[in-house]
Amino acid sequence: MTDTERVAQDDAAQVAAVRVELGDRSYSIMIGNGLLDAADSYRGLPAASHCAIVTNEMVGPLYVDRLAAALTGLYREVHLIVLPDGEAHKNFATLQRIFDALLSAHCDRSTTVFALGGGVIGDLAGFAAASYMRGVPFVQVPTTLLAQVDSSVGGKTGLNHPLGKNMIGAFYQPQRVLIDLGVLRTLPDRELQAGIAEVIKTALVADADFFAWLEIHLDALLARDAAALRHAIGRCCEIKAAIVGQDERESDLRAVLNLGHTFGHAIEAGLGYGEWLHGEAVGCGMVMAAHLSSAMGLLDVDAVGRIERVVARAGLPVRGPALGSDAYMALMRRDKKAQGGEIRFVLLESIGGATLRAAPDELVAAVLATCTSGVRS
Ligand code: NAD
Ligand code: GLY
């Protein structure tokens, strides 16, 4: 039995630890209830006189007092940086606000940055930490399911450019990831569903048994059953930690974690950031990738049906918006996995087995015709 499975059967006070092994940049992902308030959560972090909490106007009022109270005994000064909420603000102007606040507060090279929020805050605060004075320590305190199962782990940080999603950024690992399961209680249903998209993705690329578990326990996850959430979050962190430990900078293996993202990023950029949630775009993108895998003769149609059913049951879209095939293709050519203008997709050879391949344009166009809700004239 793994640590995570043990916790899933234990009482709410248990804390699981998943390790990301990266030599002298290794760190722990702590998973439990009430971690925000627990002294153990902060033990062993680098010593500093200042820390800064980066959060947003939605999450701040809910949780910043608890985090600030825990940090007050550890740092002489606790600075608060509250940003506007939403994907549309994951940009240079918002990044500049973080730098302005850090400099105005005389934060130095030892200042520890705490990212309290979802993936937008984690990505922005992480990139600010990576570049402020050429790098200061940071801690991820993810408050969405998506951030707890994916974005807070692995050190991808960055922001969007009008010409492409997550195009500016850095690999920069946190000192620790603190996953307090209790914060999920206030997460809106639509955001929970978006997080489940990344859970489905993780199972699809790495663990057929976990996907089968999801087929059985999806309703429990949607109902926020505590044991189901613990298990899903723990398993996703274990899988991601193992992949990042082998291929931190995505030279090869890590790319499988982008299943659904080539189509998904095109949807997000094509509609305008924030129109669809990232997880919604990934959910739909996975269905498109499954159809493309089948069209390429890699995946059987039964598997495509299972994937589409789970994505739909999670309340996620299974058909993309009508951006038009040309727009999709142009946006996908800007994907970070593209090489020399050739789009490379994460495709499935089985449930639990992914591969990175180029695909003929005519097959991609056929999938777009099948999986979008009509081509705009
Ligand atoms: P988000 O950060 O926008 O959060 C979603 C919404 O939920 C926001 O309105 C937020 O204020 C609110 N919220 C957060 N926690 C809450 C809580 N506990 N209670 C109530 N409301 C809460 O979106 P997200 O889905 O967390 O993250 C999406 C972003 O993550 C995208 O920009 C995506 O590109 C990025 N991402 C990054 C990685 C990575 O490896 N770095 C991986 C996946 C996604
Ligand atoms: N979310 C994909 C990755 O971290 O690699």
Side-chain angles (χ1 to χ4, degrees), residues 50-52 54 79 81 95-113 124-138 157 170 172:
H50 293 234
C51 74
V54 180
H79 304 287
I81 303 172
L95 181 71
Q96 175 78 22
R97 286 178 61 162
I98 304 177
F99 293 140
D100 291 349
L102 292 172
L103 286 165
S104 302
H106 305 290
C107 291
D108 62 21
R109 279 190 155 160
S110 66
T111 299
T112 303
V113 172
L124 272 172
F127 187 52
S131 40
Y132 184 72
M133 296 198 176
R134 301 201 178 89
V136 293
F138 93 108
T157 70
Y172 192 66

Side-chain angles (χ1 to χ4, degrees), residues 127 265 309:
F127 187 52
H265 284 172
R309 276 193 296 280

Side-chain angles (χ1 to χ4, degrees), residues 56 85 87 90 119-120 123 143-144 151 156 165 183 186 191:
N56 71 25
D85 185 19
E87 184 76 34
K90 190 175 157 181
V120 169
D123 283 10
T143 61
T144 62
S151 64
K156 279 189 182 175
K165 168 94 179 149
V183 302
T186 55
E191 300 292 350

Side-chain angles (χ1 to χ4, degrees), residues 163-284:
L163 292 179
K165 168 94 179 149
N166 292 337
M167 281 296 163
I168 316 295
F171 288 98
Y172 192 66
Q173 299 297 337
Q175 299 287 322
R176 186 167 298 168
V177 181
L178 286 179
I179 298 180
D180 187 332
L181 300 166
V183 302
L184 295 180
R185 278 195 284 272
T186 55
L187 194 66
D189 284 342
R190 188 177 167 200
E191 300 292 350
L192 184 83
Q193 291 160 357
I196 290 174
E198 300 280 15
V199 177
I200 296 169
K201 174 203 77 178
T202 306
L204 279 176
V205 301
D207 187 344
D209 291 342
F210 184 33
F211 187 81
W213 179 92
L214 267 180
E215 290 179 305
I216 296 166
H217 293 91
L218 187 61
D219 293 341
L221 280 182
L222 288 164
R224 301 175 200 235
D225 175 83
L229 282 169
R230 271 176 189 266
H231 178 72
I233 293 165
R235 188 69 197 115
C236 287
C237 288
E238 286 173 349
I239 290 169
K240 186 154 184 188
I243 291 174
V244 169
Q246 292 169 71
D247 181 24
E248 180 188 13
R249 297 178 74 88
E250 199 171 302
S251 54
D252 184 8
L253 174 69
R254 184 170 178 169
V256 299
L257 289 170
N258 289 315
L259 175 68
H261 285 59
T262 309
F263 290 109
H265 284 172
I267 293 171
E268 287 187 88
L271 286 177
Y273 298 119
E275 190 65 32
W276 278 28
L277 301 181
H278 175 71
E280 292 170 340
V282 168
C284 182

